């Protein structure tokens, strides 16, 4: 072998060893366990999505990245609206979180909570998969958190222990638990209710002892938390909003992983989110209403609104919609309305 070829061969060898050394050193800096936060306690699509992601990451990284799920917002002492800040600060390594809980830090995430903006699943898909979703991911990333995939909590329905809710006047004075987000306070106040902000951990005993009379959540949360045993015997299907979930990683944690592992975690999040959305939509559609049937089997009265009744709620909350359109950003809301109009039904 010529001397120049020998030198080149040695150079390539040492370069490869250097890269391997860097990769190994980086891998050696991995934590033995990564903390993943979710707000819910009970079995639900949300919890299942987090578990699927955790399992896929562990399997595909061959144990290099091990994730432990912390339920009930326990890493922030149950204060779910503090979760996003804790992710930014590194108290939480990873999360599958709701746009509702993170909207106090990123006001544009309130777009999904705009009253009666989303008429169906296709509308939500149009937003998260289109320009609106891209802009929101950019804002989350700019805030120091790496967004990887969109999941889904589901359309939120309203239940209470007092009476059937068919029109806004049926909500007058009703004490309803809500997340501590201003938009929710405005919506329920506009409908004549008395919103009571509290964490979900606080809400369940409050419902059971009558401190609050009602709540709003997806059917999977209602069923998983057995709210029919907490006096919630009237359940109105009004589909007033749907909060997506976001699979995220703290940016410093993300940067500590090799490029190969980052791609594995990203793809695992996308795969888990696809499965989670399918689980969230199962049993709550006209062609498959098994979740509703199970709820009804517990003596719950399920109220389905007529178009006229539904429009009464839309009209009553229109001033809130207009107010928050300005706060969120008219351009983003108009983009959302356009994407919804052009969706594939």
């Amino acid at each position: 072998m010529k001397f120049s070829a020998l030198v080149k061969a040695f150079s390539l060898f040492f370069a490869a060893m250097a890269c391997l050394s860097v990769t190994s050193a980086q891998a050696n800096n991995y934590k033995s366990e990564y903390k993943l936060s979710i707000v819910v306690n009970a079995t639900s699509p949300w919890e299942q999505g987090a578990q699927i992601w955790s399992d896929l990451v562990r399997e595909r990284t061959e144990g290099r990245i091990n994730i432990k799920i912390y339920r009930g917002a326990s890493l922030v002492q149950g204060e779910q609206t503090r979760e996003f800040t804790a992710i930014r600060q590194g108290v939480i390594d990873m999360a599958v979180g709701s746009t509702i809980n993170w909207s106090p830090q990123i006001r544009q995430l309130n777009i999904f909570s705009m009253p009666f903006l989303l008429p169906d699943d296709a509308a939500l898909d149009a937003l998260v998969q289109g320009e609106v979703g891209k802009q929101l991911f950019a804002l989350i990333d700019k805030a120091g958190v790496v967004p990887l995939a969109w999941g889904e909590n589901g359309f939120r329905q309203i239940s209470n222990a007092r009476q059937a809710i068919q029109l806004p006047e049926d909500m007058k004075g009703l004490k309803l638990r809500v997340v501590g987000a201003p938009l929710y306070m405005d919506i329920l106040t506009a409908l004549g209710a008395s919103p009571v902000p509290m964490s979900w951990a606080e809400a369940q005993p409050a419902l059971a002892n009558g401190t609050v009379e009602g709540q709003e959540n997806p059917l999977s949360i209602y069923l998983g938390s057995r709210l029919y045993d907490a006096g919630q015997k009237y359940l109105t299907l009004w589909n007033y909003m749907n909060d997506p979930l976001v699979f995220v990683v703290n940016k410093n944690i993300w940067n500590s992983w090799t490029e190969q592992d980052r791609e594995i975690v990203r793809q695992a999040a996308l795969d888990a989110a696809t499965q989670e959305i399918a689980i969230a939509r199962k049993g709550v559609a006209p062609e498959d209403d098994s979740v509703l049937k199970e709820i009804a089997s517990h003596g719950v009265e399920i109220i389905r609104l007529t178009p006229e009744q539904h429009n009464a709620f839309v009209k009553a909350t229109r001033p809130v919609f207009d107010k928050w359109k300005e706060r969120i950003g008219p351009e983003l809301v108009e983009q959302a309305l356009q994407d919804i109009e052009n969706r594939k039904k």
Side-chain angles (χ1 to χ4, degrees):
M1 180 181 291
K2 292 182 179 180
F3 180 75
S4 59
L6 187 62
V7 169
K8 184 177 180 180
F10 272 109
S11 297
L12 291 172
F13 173 76
F14 284 117
M17 290 301 293
C19 289
L20 181 61
S21 176
V22 169
T23 300
S24 298
Q26 193 171 12
N28 288 336
N29 288 329
Y30 282 21
K31 292 184 177 183
S32 60
E33 175 187 289
Y34 291 91
K35 298 177 180 179
L36 189 155
S37 174
I38 59 174
V39 164
V40 293
N41 272 316
T43 299
S44 67
W46 189 340
E47 189 268 347
Q48 292 176 68
Q51 190 63 61
I52 293 169
W53 188 24
S54 173
D55 292 342
L56 288 176
V57 169
R58 184 179 297 106
E59 175 187 340
R60 294 177 183 180
T61 62
E62 299 178 332
R64 290 188 300 277
I65 298 177
N66 293 292
I67 300 168
K68 181 176 179 180
I69 299 172
Y70 288 78
R71 297 166 175 80
S74 58
L75 295 174
V76 285
Q77 294 75 52
E79 296 295 328
Q80 57 206 70
T81 55
R82 289 177 47 215
E83 185 180 57
F84 190 78
T85 299
I87 301 166
R88 293 173 64 181
Q89 295 172 340
V91 175
I92 295 171
D93 300 317
M94 308 168 70
V96 179
S98 165
T99 53
I100 296 175
N101 296 323
W102 299 354
S103 61
Q105 287 77 42
I106 300 179
R107 72 178 188 282
Q108 292 87 346
L109 291 177
N110 280 293
I111 193 165
F112 300 109
S113 300
M114 292 284 272
F116 304 101
L117 170 68
L118 299 166
D120 49 36
D121 292 334
L124 179 62
D125 293 341
L127 296 197
V128 298
Q129 295 170 10
E131 182 60 28
V132 170
K134 291 178 183 177
Q135 290 186 35
L136 294 174
F137 263 26
L139 290 169
I140 293 171
D141 186 79
K142 185 177 179 181
V145 176
V146 181
L148 303 178
W150 290 102
E152 182 175 328
N153 198 15
F155 278 98
R156 299 176 78 90
Q157 317 300 355
I158 188 167
S159 71
N160 81 104
R162 184 198 294 178
Q163 64 185 9
I165 296 174
Q166 296 176 309
L167 291 167
E169 46 262 41
D170 296 327
M171 296 177 62
K172 186 175 181 180
L174 193 65
K175 292 182 291 183
L176 289 169
R177 175 268 173 183
V178 292
V179 176
L183 176 50
Y184 286 81
M185 303 289 287
D186 285 354
I187 292 171
L188 294 178
T189 299
L191 292 170
S194 298
V196 182
M198 62 175 63
S199 71
W200 186 236
E202 296 171 314
Q204 294 175 77
L207 289 166
N209 64 32
T211 302
V212 291
E213 299 169 285
Q215 60 84 52
E216 48 76 50
N217 254 309
L219 296 176
S220 61
I221 302 295
Y222 178 99
L223 184 60
S225 300
R226 301 172 62 91
L227 294 185
Y228 46 80
D229 286 338
Q232 298 295 290
K233 295 298 186 180
Y234 300 96
L235 176 64
T236 297
L237 307 181
W238 65 341
N239 285 11
Y240 86 120
M241 60 83 61
N242 188 334
D243 56 316
L245 304 176
V246 192
F247 291 64
V248 302
V249 180
N250 166 273
K251 186 162 286 188
N252 289 332
I253 293 296
W254 180 257
N255 291 334
S256 73
W257 293 333
T258 64
E259 184 175 349
Q260 177 188 14
D261 281 344
R262 288 197 293 267
E263 184 53 37
I264 289 173
V265 173
R266 184 189 301 278
Q267 188 58 53
L270 291 167
D271 294 343
T274 298
Q275 294 183 54
E276 190 276 333
I277 290 170
I279 296 169
R281 294 180 181 180
K282 185 178 181 181
V284 296
E287 62 273 14
D288 175 17
D289 63 351
S290 55
V291 169
L292 283 169
K293 288 178 179 176
E294 183 173 354
I295 291 172
S297 73
H298 294 281
V300 178
E301 180 180 344
I302 297 176
I303 299 96
R304 293 173 171 84
L305 301 179
T306 66
E308 293 75 19
Q309 290 170 335
H310 184 269
N311 287 336
F313 286 98
V314 174
K315 182 178 179 180
T317 56
R318 187 67 202 190
V320 178
F321 188 102
D322 294 338
K323 170 185 174 180
W324 278 87
K325 179 178 179 180
E326 296 301 316
R327 291 190 176 185
I328 292 168
E331 299 82 3
L332 187 64
V333 175
E334 286 299 327
Q335 180 68 56
L337 291 169
Q338 180 181 330
D339 290 347
I340 292 170
E341 180 66 25
N342 296 333
R343 74 192 184 282
K344 294 180 180 180
K345 299 181 181 178

